[in-house]
Amino acid sequence: MSTSWSAPGQPPPPEPEAPPSPWSAGASEQASGAAASPRRHGGAPPGGSPLQRELVARVPMFPLRPMGLGEVLGAAVRIYRVRPRLVLGLSAVVFGIAFVLTSLFQGAGMIPTMTQLQVLSDPVADPTASGVEFSPSEMYAIILSSVAAALVSLVATQLVTLVLARITIDEAVGTAATQAGMRALLRRRGVAAVLLGLLTAIVSAIPMVLLPILAGLPLLIVQEAHWWTIAPFVLGIVLGLLGTVYVAFRLLLAVPALAVEPVGPIGALRRSLALTRGRRSLRVLGIGALVYILYLAAQQALSGVLGTIAAIVYIAILLATNFSAMVPAMILMMVISMLGAYLAIILTAPFLSAGITTLYADTRMRHEAWDVELNAVAAEASWEGSAA
């Protein structure tokens, strides 16, 4: 290798240092001796004992390559470690607002039921009362309150899932996820995420509505219960349920696509269908079902604790008041049970969102070579962090 010219008797000039390459992880840290940026996944300060470096080193959200089942589940759990305050705080705020609104709607819908129960529990007030009867206006009030509560829950779930999906990808490539950035994401994509949730619910419900109706036509025409009229109807219900589950899992990757890609609600649905077509759907269906089952199991276990306490309190109040305080006992039981459901969804929503987003990234890396782009972004983030 040639060197620069130097005067006789003078030491040769030092070799020029090669500029750090943004494609090599940690190249600038090795060249300058500076500590790695805390936002660099896997980075650790060069000083200190090996044990200190091991404890300080950050583990990436997920490896930027096609992953196995254990790595997908590991990312779903790791989100609680990387940004616990931002993740749990976001869930608490959004679901807290939704909890207050759904409590008001459900409470309004429970008023006719509580009135009827109060009449039944006090036969002296109305000796002719023999059962629970609702007027058409009361039925409409119950239905509308239930629909309103479901819509509020859908909006909260979509917004939280959108933000957590973006946090998962940002943490995987070493990009800092800030509260300001998440608020900006909600302003840009929040309405689209809600529309996406509505479209997903409608499209997923089509098999469950259409197939039982078609299978029940013989029963509607004959107006008699025979095996050849009942069997198709039951089969239609089963097939409709299976069809709804299949469509829901085909659309499972729509929210991460909306959070990452420049698409709208319809485009996100198309992207999810494209990513899960053919044999790809089997892997997404299997891993997605496992993630969802674990999510539901954890949610039921957490909410079941307060649900059991609520049932004990309800029974204790009824026994202590000789069944005269049925309505207050029911209100208290409902509040405690809803509080348990609220805490459960706060703690489990990050697991589901991170798991589905990691599955989305794994699918794209397997079939679209997305890992090349992600590694480039991660290298650039590492180089910028070390330069800072």
Side-chain angles (χ1 to χ4, degrees):
M1 177 177 180
S2 62
T3 60
S4 302
W5 179 87
S6 60
Q10 300 294 327
E15 292 288 339
E17 296 182 359
S21 173
W23 295 94
S24 59
S28 58
E29 292 91 339
Q30 296 174 3
S32 62
S37 170
R39 300 305 309 148
R40 167 79 175 108
H41 58 76
S49 65
L51 178 60
Q52 290 175 336
R53 291 195 298 268
E54 181 69 21
L55 292 176
V56 174
R58 286 179 56 85
V59 179
M61 177 64 73
F62 54 79
L64 303 182
R65 54 168 174 75
M67 292 168 278
L69 173 61
E71 290 169 322
V72 174
L73 297 179
V77 176
R78 196 169 295 118
I79 192 172
Y80 297 98
R81 175 185 173 186
V82 294
R83 299 301 297 275
R85 182 177 300 179
L86 179 60
V87 167
L88 296 178
L90 169 73
S91 299
V93 171
V94 177
F95 286 119
I97 297 173
F99 173 74
V100 173
L101 294 177
T102 53
S103 298
L104 293 176
F105 288 130
Q106 291 181 354
M110 290 289 292
I111 290 177
T113 303
M114 292 180 180
T115 303
Q116 295 290 336
L117 291 176
Q118 186 66 35
V119 172
L120 292 177
S121 63
D122 188 10
V124 177
D126 188 4
T128 61
S130 59
V132 178
E133 297 179 358
F134 298 108
S135 64
S137 59
E138 292 175 336
M139 291 296 299
Y140 292 147
I142 294 174
I143 295 174
L144 289 178
S145 63
S146 300
V147 172
L151 288 176
V152 171
S153 298
L154 183 144
V155 171
T157 301
Q158 290 296 110
L159 295 180
V160 171
T161 305
L162 175 74
V163 175
L164 292 180
R166 187 68 202 189
I167 292 175
T168 302
I169 299 297
D170 287 347
E171 288 295 329
V173 298
T175 306
T178 62
Q179 294 184 358
M182 296 305 103
R183 287 194 295 267
L185 176 65
L186 287 176
R187 288 193 296 269
R188 295 194 314 268
R189 295 285 187 170
V191 176
V194 174
L195 293 177
L196 176 60
L198 293 173
L199 289 174
T200 302
I202 293 172
V203 174
S204 301
I206 290 177
M208 191 61 201
V209 174
L210 186 60
L211 291 180
I213 291 177
L214 295 177
L217 288 179
L219 182 60
L220 293 176
I221 295 174
V222 178
Q223 296 292 323
E224 293 182 3
H226 301 285
W227 69 267
W228 50 273
T229 58
I230 300 297
F233 181 67
V234 175
L235 181 61
I237 294 177
V238 174
L239 293 179
L241 180 60
L242 294 177
T244 294
V245 172
Y246 175 76
V247 173
F249 277 100
R250 286 292 306 274
L251 302 178
L252 191 64
L253 307 181
V255 176
L258 182 69
V260 175
E261 303 179 33
V263 294
I266 302 296
L269 292 178
R270 291 175 177 173
R271 283 291 293 149
S272 183
L273 291 174
L275 290 172
T276 57
R277 68 173 181 266
R279 294 184 178 180
R280 305 177 186 180
S281 62
L282 298 178
R283 178 178 176 82
V284 174
L285 179 63
I287 298 180
L290 180 58
V291 171
Y292 201 78
I293 289 172
L294 293 176
Y295 160 76
L296 290 179
Q299 189 178 88
Q300 292 300 318
L302 293 172
S303 62
V305 175
L306 285 181
T308 302
I309 296 175
I312 294 174
V313 171
Y314 174 74
I315 295 174
I317 293 176
L318 292 182
L319 295 177
T321 60
N322 197 19
F323 292 87
S324 61
M326 182 179 295
V327 173
M330 180 175 293
I331 294 176
L332 183 59
M333 181 181 68
M334 184 178 66
V335 170
I336 297 176
S337 298
M338 292 183 65
L339 181 61
Y342 166 65
L343 294 176
I345 197 171
I346 287 177
L347 296 176
T348 57
F351 175 86
L352 179 63
S353 300
I356 298 304
T357 304
T358 305
L359 180 59
Y360 161 82
D362 173 70
T363 304
R364 287 196 63 184
M365 288 188 289
R366 285 179 180 274
H367 303 287
E368 297 180 352
W370 197 37
D371 50 330
V372 177
E373 180 181 348
L374 291 181
N375 277 288
V377 175
E380 182 180 357
S382 173
W383 184 72
E384 291 177 353
S386 60

